[in-house]
Structure formats: C-alpha cells, structure tokens
Amino acid sequence: MTSHSLDRIKIPAGFWKGLLQFNIAAHDVIRKAQLPLAVLNETFVVNTAQFFALWQAFSELVNDPADCIVKLTTGMQTAQLPPLVLAPYHSRDYRDALIRMARYKQMCVPERIDIIEKGELCAIELEWPYADQPEPPMLVGVIMASLLEIGRRGSGYPMTAYALELSGHMSSNVEPLEKYFGCRIKLGAERNRLTLYRSDLDRPFISYNAELLEILTPALDRSLNEQQRSKSITEMVKWIMKRTLASGRPDIHIVASELGMSDRTLQRRLTDNYTSFKQLLTEARHEKALEYLADPTLDLKEVAFLLGYEDQSSFYRAFRLWEDDTPSNWRAVHLGFDAISEDSPGMPGLH
C-alpha cells in the first residue's frame, strides 16, 4: 500500500471548538496555515502535512501553547466524547482504555500509538506514518495530555507521569505542562514519548460500563474493519485514478491490471463496497479539482487538462454539478481574492 492512499484526515469538530475557547477565528488559522477555506466543510479531507499546518498555525496564534494544552485537555466535556473515545473512557481499567484508544484512534487519523510495558514503567510513543516533517509540539502535547486525562477521570485517581519527552520545542514556558503531568519535560528529544508508572495501568475505572461497551465495541470494531477493507480497495483505486488523470480518462482495465486482478474481480470488489468505478472516478476528479483550484498558480485550462477533460466546458459542467458554482467563483470565495474571469465566455449556461 502506498502512503498516499491512506493519508486522509477529516478535521474533528473539536478542533474548531477549541479555537473558540481562545477567541481565535477559524479563518485566521486557515489563512496562516495557507490552506483553502474549504477545510471548514465537514466533508473536506486533508493529509498529514496539512493537518500539521493547522495545528502549527493554532499554536502560533495563542499566547501560551503550554497553557493552551492544559486548558484544552481539562476542559474536555465527557458527555460530548465521540464513540471512539467514549469506549476507552468506560473501559474496565486504564490498560484496557489505552489499548482501545490505540485501536480506534486510527479510524480518524493515520496515527499509531505504541504501548510498551517494561519493568515498572509503560512507554507510550506516537508515530505518524505519513509525516515528512516534525509533529507540532502543541498537537503532541494535547494527545499525550488526553491519554493521561482519560486515566485520571476513568480511575478517579490523580495519577502523574514518570516522564514526558517531546521532539519539538515550545515557544512558551513549559511549567504549566510540568505541573499538569507531574514530571519534568524534555524538549528536543529523539521521539515523542509519555512514560507512565506501570502500576497505574491496573487501576480499575469507576466509569466502567459493561453494558455500554457491549453496544459500542461491536459497532466500533465493525466500522474499523469496514473502513480498513474499504480503504484497501477503493482508496487504492482512487489513488491510481488520480495519478493517471492527466493522461486521459482512467480505464478500468488499466486500474485492475495495476491492482493485479481482472476487470470483473475489481468490479465485484467495488460492488461489495457499495460503490462503482464510475463513482470513484467522479470522486477522484472532484477531490483533485478542489486541490488544484486551491493552487493559485494553476489556471483553469491547466486544471481541466490535469483532470483528464478533453475541453474546459466538460470540466465546468462537472464542477457545477459538484459545487453548484463555477471554478473561478469557487476559487475566489475559498482563496479570498477577486474572481478572474477564466470561465470560457462562449459557453452559455456556465456562468
């Protein structure tokens, strides 16, 4: 599997709510991250680099990133936890909670949580498989603090960490973080690692709810399995399509050959995932269109060509169906500059 096929993140609603807590406008963060305003759309998908850019922009707009991490974590409302976090919160004990968090977290972001128990300690390490740049320290801090917070709330015990190592550097004093974690913090470390006392993993959760887990666990496991199966074929098909769009309309025979299967097998696999080759081609073109239009250096003729359309009018018609707008108007709205009339003047019904 190529990394590009799975490097997809939907910005969690909690991120935008967190900005409001510090009176920071979403538009300011998006602009500073140099991303299109379309990321505000709940269906918009970003990659790891773009996700990091949003968090880095957020950290640069707050006065005290370390204090911000603590406030975001302690201000978490248990009643508003999504199912993938609600299940860990109602686990049998802290170890069970961490294992569930590591398993279900991958449903929303391509992030791996490794739990290593050795001797009297337990190390939790974070890894972003598709990252080609360091993780923003504030993002890592929020993740680590959230893992400890679940243990504290679930057990009702004010547990502290043995150590916290961050590979990046904070632009503010880390004292609020050291007070929260109850340990010294090492910056500029080789990796991001939270080290806990292994004995704390055995602490039973007062929030344990067996009945709720019986409902949540099968549903989450089913969603995770379906997501993994779906990504293993549909995302790979879309990635191949996106790679070959500029050479013309992707052919099912070519895509099937690259996947090492027959046309009929590919069609059956897509049907099993409740989609079709035509539907995926539409999605691939739509996603790439938004990506290309977010690049102001590409004119609309180039965008149409890169998407594999024989002429601009076909691209405009398709885009109107996707966004109910013309490409130039969409670009103007989402990139924040006046529309340049590149829409062909001789095409009635396209303006």
Side-chain angles (χ1 to χ4, degrees):
M1 287 291 282
T2 175
S3 64
H4 297 287
S5 65
L6 300 180
D7 190 10
R8 296 163 57 83
I9 304 170
K10 286 187 177 181
I11 307 299
F15 178 81
W16 307 117
K17 292 179 181 178
L19 300 181
L20 297 176
Q21 187 175 339
F22 300 92
N23 297 316
I24 296 176
H27 289 194
D28 291 337
V29 173
I30 294 170
R31 190 175 298 112
K32 192 171 186 64
Q34 298 184 335
L35 295 177
L37 292 178
V39 298
L40 283 172
N41 188 321
E42 61 181 16
T43 62
F44 196 90
V45 175
V46 299
N47 57 31
T48 297
Q50 294 168 325
F51 189 58
F52 283 5
L54 283 172
W55 271 98
Q56 184 60 38
F58 184 6
S59 66
E60 293 176 7
L61 289 172
V62 295
N63 295 324
D64 190 335
D67 184 60
C68 178
I69 291 171
V70 176
K71 288 181 177 178
L72 285 172
T73 304
T74 56
M76 178 179 63
Q77 298 296 316
T78 305
Q80 298 178 356
L81 292 177
L84 64 88
V85 181
L86 197 61
Y89 177 69
H90 290 291
S91 297
R92 182 180 296 277
D93 53 37
Y94 192 22
R95 178 181 286 102
D96 184 25
L98 290 174
I99 291 173
R100 289 177 186 272
M101 182 65 80
R103 174 170 172 76
Y104 298 135
K105 187 74 180 291
Q106 59 185 310
M107 293 172 63
C108 60
V109 293
E111 170 198 2
R112 195 170 73 217
I113 299 177
D114 293 325
I115 304 171
I116 308 153
E117 295 187 47
K118 186 176 182 180
E120 298 180 353
L121 300 175
C122 172
I124 300 176
E125 299 179 356
L126 303 182
E127 182 179 351
W128 295 79
Y130 312 130
D132 55 7
Q133 56 195 18
E135 305 93 323
M138 196 166 97
L139 168 60
V140 176
V142 167
I143 294 171
M144 296 301 200
S146 297
L147 293 176
L148 182 60
E149 186 72 11
I150 285 180
R152 287 175 173 173
R153 295 194 188 191
S155 67
Y157 180 78
M159 60 181 68
T160 57
Y162 174 82
L164 175 62
E165 301 166 74
L166 301 177
S167 61
H169 292 274
M170 285 281 180
S171 61
S172 63
N173 193 322
V174 296
E175 185 177 347
L177 277 184
E178 293 184 333
K179 183 178 179 180
Y180 175 80
F181 283 96
C183 66
R184 295 296 300 272
I185 294 177
K186 179 181 179 180
L187 300 175
E190 291 185 4
R191 65 188 67 196
N192 296 301
R193 176 193 290 148
L194 172 65
T195 305
L196 303 171
Y197 295 97
R198 194 174 182 181
S199 58
D200 283 335
L201 271 59
D202 296 317
R203 294 189 183 279
F205 270 21
I206 57 177
S207 57
Y208 174 53
N209 189 325
E211 291 77 14
L212 182 60
L213 286 177
E214 286 182 4
I215 298 173
L216 290 177
T217 301
L220 287 171
D221 286 343
R222 187 164 52 250
S223 294
L224 178 60
N225 292 335
E226 289 176 355
Q227 184 185 77
Q228 290 176 334
R229 283 199 305 269
S230 176
K231 281 184 175 180
S232 66
I233 183 66
T234 61
E235 292 304 316
M236 196 61 182
V237 167
K238 282 169 64 174
W239 180 78
I240 295 174
M241 287 176 171
K242 291 177 180 179
R243 194 183 64 189
T244 58
L245 278 174
S247 61
R249 184 185 180 90
D251 179 81
I252 190 170
H253 178 69
I254 295 175
V255 175
S257 296
E258 288 210 29
L259 292 172
M261 61 182 70
S262 67
D263 299 3
R264 181 172 295 183
T265 299
L266 175 56
Q267 289 175 329
R268 186 177 66 252
R269 292 280 302 277
L270 295 180
T271 299
D272 290 342
N273 281 284
Y274 307 101
T275 188
S276 66
F277 190 85
K278 182 178 180 180
Q279 176 62 30
L280 292 182
L281 178 57
T282 298
E283 292 178 12
R285 276 178 158 164
H286 187 185
E287 292 169 11
K288 290 301 290 184
L290 299 183
E291 180 181 326
Y292 290 142
L293 289 174
D295 182 352
T297 65
L298 294 175
D299 63 37
L300 299 186
K301 291 181 181 179
E302 289 178 287
V303 172
F305 170 76
L306 291 172
L307 293 174
Y309 287 103
E310 295 180 357
D311 53 68
Q312 284 180 261
S313 61
S314 297
F315 167 48
Y316 295 144
R317 281 194 292 270
F319 196 83
R320 288 297 291 266
L321 290 174
W322 298 332
E323 297 290 330
D324 193 28
D325 200 357
T326 65
S328 59
N329 283 342
W330 186 97
R331 171 178 273 177
V333 171
H334 292 84
L335 295 190
F337 53 74
D338 293 335
I340 299 175
S341 181
E342 292 185 71
D343 295 331
S344 176
M347 298 178 189
L350 296 179
H351 300 281

